[in-house]
Amino acid sequence: MSRLTFRASAYEVKVPASSANLGPGFDAFGLALEKRDRYIAQILDDKTLDIDVAGEGAEDVPRDEKNLVVKAIHKGWDFLGLPKKEYPGLALRALNALPHGRGLGSSASAIIGGLILSRSLVVGGADRMSDNDVLTLATEMEGHPDNVAAATLGGASIAWMEDRAGVPTGCAAGFAVDQRIRALLFVPKAQLATGKARKMLPETITHRDASINSGRAALLVHALSARPDLLFAATEDHLHQSYRREAMPRSYDLMKKLRGAGVAAMISGAGPSVLVLHSGTSAEHDDIVRTAGDHFTSMDLEITQDGASLSNAG
């Protein structure tokens, strides 16, 4: 007999896009953006998987146990003590709004969505799986905590790992972003797998580069929360972006061109999208968009203070 009692209702979770690193904050900084993937799940009476996916990248998303949302749901049930042989059937509906492989946190969205659904479908699940547990489990799946923290908390976040009683634990602190700051994204047609981008990074960097990034990362907290005029200086990076240039030459060149004009531009996550943070006029915004040319789709996204949200879907 199952050790968990499942709810009959369907639940829906909406997870925001996220941009990680923000220049100097490699694997630590994240920013939640108001464009959301939606996932609805309900327990079935039999042990089948009924998966339907629509929207961005739908044709490439698995409809079986390899589906990332399903993997996250199962990982959550594992954490709650449910043996694999006792997994119930599951109906999952996904509407993907986030482009895949573009540095906007699509995998983090699926993972966070699945973990939140896993505990929501269980009576008392939220009492047995805390938000910190969700973050830790998500980091295990994602490999780094920046996107999953932003998707969970909303706003801007700083994420890190701590060893607690010998157990690596995901931790994050969120803070509100100055309302004058807006996000402008340039999304190319090409994709770039995060794993490939990470393999391009060197094993060591110079003390000078580490020192620059440490100072800029500290400044970035102040710039995001209260001083938009410092964003250009605060988003300078010497740790990861230049090493990935070969994998996304157009994106890198656009970023450098914009920064050459004094614009706070950076690679969004592992790329290849380019993120601009600005507080300028409409005319300045339009000038930035024109700079990108025809190889990118521009997207104006609000910075959302709200992370993943859950509701009863009936």
Side-chain angles (χ1 to χ4, degrees):
M1 185 176 178
S2 172
R3 288 173 284 177
L4 302 181
T5 301
F6 290 96
R7 301 182 188 275
S9 297
Y11 286 86
E12 178 179 22
V13 62
K14 300 177 183 178
V15 189
S18 56
S19 181
N21 302 332
L22 308 184
F26 182 71
D27 274 4
F29 280 73
L31 190 66
L33 303 171
E34 192 52 66
K35 192 175 185 67
R36 294 178 183 255
D37 285 342
R38 297 169 56 191
Y39 312 105
I40 300 175
Q42 185 171 23
I43 299 299
L44 298 178
D45 291 334
D46 54 30
K47 289 181 174 291
T48 59
L49 279 177
D50 178 6
I51 302 173
D52 184 67
V53 184
E56 290 282 350
E59 64 279 1
D60 300 320
V61 176
R63 267 67 167 178
D64 55 19
E65 290 186 352
K66 295 181 180 179
N67 182 285
L68 190 54
V69 181
V70 173
K71 283 184 177 181
I73 291 174
H74 288 171
K75 188 173 184 69
W77 288 345
D78 290 341
F79 176 84
L80 293 172
L82 183 69
K84 184 176 181 179
K85 64 181 180 180
E86 295 184 18
Y87 290 170
L90 184 71
L92 174 67
R93 302 292 178 261
L95 178 57
N96 295 334
L98 309 186
H100 291 189
R102 306 302 206 288
L104 294 178
S106 60
S107 62
S109 170
I111 291 168
I112 290 297
L115 288 170
I116 291 175
L117 286 171
S118 73
R119 69 181 184 183
S120 302
L121 292 166
V122 173
V123 175
D127 296 327
R128 299 170 61 178
M129 183 192 296
S130 68
D131 289 344
N132 278 343
D133 293 329
V134 169
L135 184 58
T136 296
L137 294 170
T139 301
E140 289 176 10
M141 295 186 69
E142 179 82 337
H144 44 95
D146 43 12
N147 286 99
V148 294
T152 303
L153 298 177
S157 58
I158 307 168
W160 68 98
M161 297 297 293
E162 283 186 9
D163 189 315
R164 296 182 177 177
V167 179
T169 304
C171 305
F175 60 95
V177 178
D178 190 305
Q179 293 184 358
R180 292 171 290 177
I181 299 174
R182 297 190 296 277
L184 174 58
L185 279 149
F186 295 102
V187 183
K189 293 181 180 178
Q191 297 186 13
L192 177 61
T194 300
K196 178 180 178 180
R198 295 183 80 85
K199 289 178 181 178
M200 303 181 78
L201 301 178
E203 291 293 326
T204 60
I205 61 170
T206 66
H207 187 277
R208 175 183 178 276
D209 286 346
S211 176
I212 291 173
N213 266 59
S214 295
R216 295 302 193 271
L219 179 62
L220 185 54
V221 178
H222 185 49
L224 285 170
S225 59
R227 289 286 303 275
D229 58 301
L230 295 176
L231 281 169
F232 177 72
T235 51
E236 182 180 353
D237 166 67
H238 289 252
L239 185 59
H240 63 101
Q241 294 178 142
S242 62
Y243 298 107
R244 293 166 164 171
R245 178 175 185 172
E246 184 179 338
M248 47 183 151
R250 281 181 175 160
S251 297
Y252 186 85
D253 290 348
L254 173 60
M255 180 196 72
K256 293 297 287 185
K257 184 176 182 180
L258 290 171
R259 292 194 68 83
V263 176
M266 63 222 79
I267 301 298
S268 181
S273 295
V274 175
L275 171 68
V276 170
L277 296 177
H278 69 101
S279 58
T281 64
S282 296
E284 290 170 331
H285 165 276
D286 293 344
D287 284 342
I288 295 171
V289 171
R290 280 192 290 270
T291 300
D294 300 328
H295 296 295
F296 297 85
T297 299
S298 64
M299 297 170 55
D300 287 286
L301 296 181
E302 295 292 330
I303 297 170
T304 178
Q305 304 299 334
D306 299 320
S309 62
L310 179 75
S311 60
N312 189 313

